[in-house]
């Protein structure tokens, strides 16, 4: 379903760069320039909670997508889109509200991926976000209740001022596969015709798109849109011949040959330009992100399986290299057998790779932002845990104009969780203990 956006349903955020708040002590100044960083920005503190789920370079500096929670609500309920300058200063932002229902209040809407969009001449003309948005369904003849509210895969395009131009919702499967089915977008990339969006689903009406192990097997999808948001093709894992979509991709990467690379849980899948599978390689690694390598092959970042675990478990971070033909070349693991989650990765022209995520095996708090840099062969050059005494997480990473690393996520400041953007030094030297 495609619809024009109703601008009256939107509110522009009065976003704040955190400088001083009640209870803000000198010890909390840590978040404004943590060790190993050039600066930190704590943003959108006028909300109960906020978090950045994706970041990408744009002409002004960076575009950030995520979620916020409004006063009186218990869950994240509105999508966030913001443009930041190179130094992390907020330029503009907009908040896109979820559905409001008299009995339950406002239900969820969130943006988990963002890219820049371009007109037919190649000039930037806005942004495209993918995520989820609750929709209201009327039920079925067997169960005519009006309360069936389900998160659906949601795609929106805005102009450069973050005003909405169109949005598309994909809700197929709600009645075919059960009333309590949540679906959300995980990634979006350009195609010659428009946009390709990856989706996952879960057999529950409440979702957390950041749950790294989320997505029920057999409920993944791949959505192809034209430039105006019209559906060109929808492939679902439930359809014959599309079983390879399984639980759905966590990420999509355009490849140099005009195809695409997908991270689908334990599989890396290569598609041709018509979005048909060329090869699949399955390894004991839960993959969250895939990238084209500088050498012409591919890299996948995720979590390695724990050998011989009685219950399937994935702990140490892993970076795997694949040839252009899909052969596994090597896998490097990082961490200390604890819960180390990987969000996203970026690859430099030199072949070096930078991975951002979270760890509880090192650092100062319950969880800390974790940034790892490797060379082109997967050898760790350095890693650093950044965070306070509570839970701080990185969800994505981008490169700045001066070739440093800008990490987007969330920080727990006191009892609040707020958007945290940190610029990490690319030439970081972290001493290693020798015994």
């Amino acid at each position: 379903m495609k619809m024009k956006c109703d601008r009256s349903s939107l509110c522009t955020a009065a976003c704040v760069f955190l400088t001083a708040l009640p209870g803000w002590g000198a010890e909390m100044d840590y978040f404004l320039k943590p060790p190993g960083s050039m600066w930190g920005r704590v943003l959108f503190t006028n909300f109960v909670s906020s978090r950045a789920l994706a970041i990408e370079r744009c002409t002004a500096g960076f575009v950030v997508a995520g979620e916020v929670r409004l006063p009186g609500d218990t869950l994240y309920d509105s999508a966030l889109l913001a443009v930041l300058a190179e130094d992390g200063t907020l330029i503009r932002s907009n908040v896109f509200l979820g559905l409001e229902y008299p009995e339950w209040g406002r239900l969820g809407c969130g943006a988990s991926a963002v890219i820049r969009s371009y007109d037919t001449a190649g000039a930037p003309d806005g942004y495209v976000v993918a995520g989820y948005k609750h929709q209201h369904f009327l039920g079925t003849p067997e169960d005519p209740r009006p309360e069936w509210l389900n998160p659906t895969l949601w795609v929106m395009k805005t102009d450069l001022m973050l005003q909405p131009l169109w949005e598309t919702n994909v809700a197929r499967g709600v009645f075919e596969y059960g009333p309590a089915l949540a679906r959300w977008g995980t990634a979006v990339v350009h195609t010659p015709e428009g946009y390709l969006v990856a989706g996952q689903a879960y057999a529950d009406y409440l979702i957390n798109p950041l749950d790294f192990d989320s997505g029920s097997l057999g409920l993944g999808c791949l959505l192809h849109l034209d430039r105006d948001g019209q559906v060109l093709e929808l492939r679902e894992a439930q359809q014959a011949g599309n079983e390879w979509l399984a639980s759905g991709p966590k990420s999509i990467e355009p490849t140099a040959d005009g195809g695409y690379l997908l991270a689908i849980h334990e599989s890396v899948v290569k598609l041709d330009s018509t979005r048909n599978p060329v090869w699949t390689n399955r390894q004991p690694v839960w993959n969250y992100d895939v990238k084209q390598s500088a050498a012409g092959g591919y890299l996948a970042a995720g979590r390695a399986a724990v050998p011989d675990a009685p219950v399937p478990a994935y702990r140490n971070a892993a970076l795997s290299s694949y040839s252009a033909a899909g052969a596994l070349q090597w896998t490097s693991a990082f961490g200390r057998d604890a819960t180390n989650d990987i969000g996203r990765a970026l690859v430099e022209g030199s072949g070096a790779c930078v991975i951002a995520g979270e760890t509880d095996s090192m650092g100062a708090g319950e969880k800390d932002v974790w940034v790892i840099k490797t060379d082109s062969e997967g050898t760790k050059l350095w890693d650093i845990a950044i965070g306070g005494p509570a839970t701080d997480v990185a969800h994505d990473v981008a490169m700045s104009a001066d070739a440093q690393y800008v990490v987007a996520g969330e920080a727990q400041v006191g009892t609040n969780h707020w958007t945290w953007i940190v610029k990490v030094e690319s030439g970081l030297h972290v001493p290693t203990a020798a015994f």
Side-chain angles (χ1 to χ4, degrees):
M1 175 177 62
K2 175 180 175 291
M3 67 189 86
K4 291 290 185 180
C5 288
D6 177 7
R7 297 190 184 194
S8 66
S9 67
L10 309 175
C11 68
T12 300
C15 302
V16 178
F17 164 55
L18 185 55
T19 54
L21 288 172
W24 180 264
E27 71 279 5
M28 292 301 183
D29 290 339
Y30 169 93
F31 291 98
L32 304 183
K33 195 181 184 304
S37 76
M38 303 178 75
W39 48 256
R41 301 286 184 260
V42 182
L43 301 171
F44 308 108
T45 60
N46 51 313
F47 295 105
V48 176
S49 300
S50 67
R51 56 185 179 184
L53 307 185
I55 184 170
E56 179 166 314
R57 281 208 55 75
C58 65
T59 303
F62 307 96
V63 58
V64 173
E67 301 172 309
V68 299
R69 180 158 64 95
L70 303 178
D73 292 326
T74 58
L75 301 171
Y76 284 97
D77 52 26
S78 302
L80 167 70
L81 193 59
V83 175
L84 309 180
E86 280 287 339
D87 65 355
T89 301
L90 180 68
I91 297 175
R92 67 182 62 91
S93 65
N94 208 346
V95 167
F96 308 90
L97 303 179
L99 176 70
E100 188 165 13
Y101 192 69
E103 181 180 354
W104 293 339
R106 191 173 304 283
L107 297 179
C109 180
S112 48
V114 62
I115 57 171
R116 293 167 290 176
S117 64
Y118 303 89
D119 61 22
T120 54
D125 69 351
Y127 308 98
V128 176
V129 300
Y132 67 95
K133 187 175 185 180
H134 274 81
Q135 297 295 312
H136 183 221
F137 299 94
L138 296 179
T140 65
E142 295 77 19
D143 191 350
R145 293 174 300 166
E147 298 91 359
W148 286 19
L149 297 119
N150 299 79
T152 65
L153 191 156
W154 174 62
V155 186
M156 178 183 66
K157 180 174 179 179
T158 76
D159 61 19
L160 291 170
M161 299 303 293
L162 308 185
Q163 295 303 309
L165 300 175
W166 55 255
E167 65 178 294
T168 297
N169 292 93
V170 176
R172 281 184 57 190
V174 170
F175 297 122
E176 293 92 332
Y177 308 113
L181 179 73
R183 173 169 277 176
W184 62 97
T186 56
V188 56
V189 297
H190 294 278
T191 72
E193 300 80 15
Y195 311 100
L196 189 63
V197 182
Q200 292 188 309
Y202 191 72
D204 195 353
Y205 70 93
L206 294 176
I207 67 169
N208 178 3
L210 294 181
D211 181 352
F212 290 106
D213 297 335
S214 60
S216 297
L217 290 175
L219 293 177
C221 70
L222 203 59
L223 174 66
H224 193 199
L225 303 176
D226 68 12
R227 291 176 178 271
D228 297 318
Q230 300 287 348
V231 177
L232 298 175
E233 181 184 50
L234 174 61
R235 295 189 181 187
E236 298 177 290
Q238 301 93 338
Q239 300 166 337
N242 291 333
E243 295 85 357
W244 56 270
L245 275 166
S247 56
K250 278 292 187 186
S251 66
I252 315 174
E253 171 80 352
T255 57
D257 60 2
Y260 307 91
L261 196 68
L262 310 179
I264 305 179
H265 281 187
E266 290 185 324
S267 298
V268 175
V269 181
K270 174 69 170 65
L271 307 183
D272 61 19
S273 59
T274 62
R275 299 166 302 284
N276 290 309
V278 176
W279 54 257
T280 298
N281 194 318
R282 185 179 177 89
Q283 299 291 332
V285 175
W286 210 267
N287 296 299
Y288 305 137
D289 200 13
V290 284
K291 289 288 186 287
Q292 177 101 48
S293 71
Y298 309 108
L299 295 173
R303 283 192 295 169
V306 178
D308 303 321
V311 176
Y314 301 82
R315 292 191 174 181
N316 290 330
L319 181 66
S320 302
S321 174
Y322 297 86
S323 70
L328 178 66
Q329 297 174 314
W330 48 258
T331 296
S332 296
F334 314 98
R336 300 171 186 169
D337 292 324
T339 303
N340 302 291
D341 285 334
I342 294 302
R344 298 296 184 192
L346 66 84
V347 179
E348 299 182 349
S350 64
C353 183
V354 177
I355 310 167
E358 64 186 71
T359 181
D360 61 8
S361 65
M362 64 189 79
E366 296 176 7
K367 288 187 178 181
D368 288 288
V369 167
W370 193 24
V371 184
I372 308 166
K373 182 170 182 176
T374 76
D375 64 17
S376 60
E377 299 298 321
T379 301
K380 185 177 72 175
L381 300 177
W382 53 259
D383 70 334
I384 188 170
I386 305 172
T391 299
D392 311 300
V393 179
H395 299 304
D396 202 358
V397 59
M399 185 171 288
S400 64
D402 59 352
Q404 312 297 317
Y405 312 128
V406 179
V407 175
E410 58 189 288
Q412 183 175 349
V413 184
T415 59
N416 299 99
H417 292 261
W418 287 317
T419 298
W420 195 24
I421 312 294
V422 181
K423 186 174 183 180
V424 179
E425 300 175 16
S426 61
L428 193 64
H429 173 68
V430 180
T432 301
F435 299 96

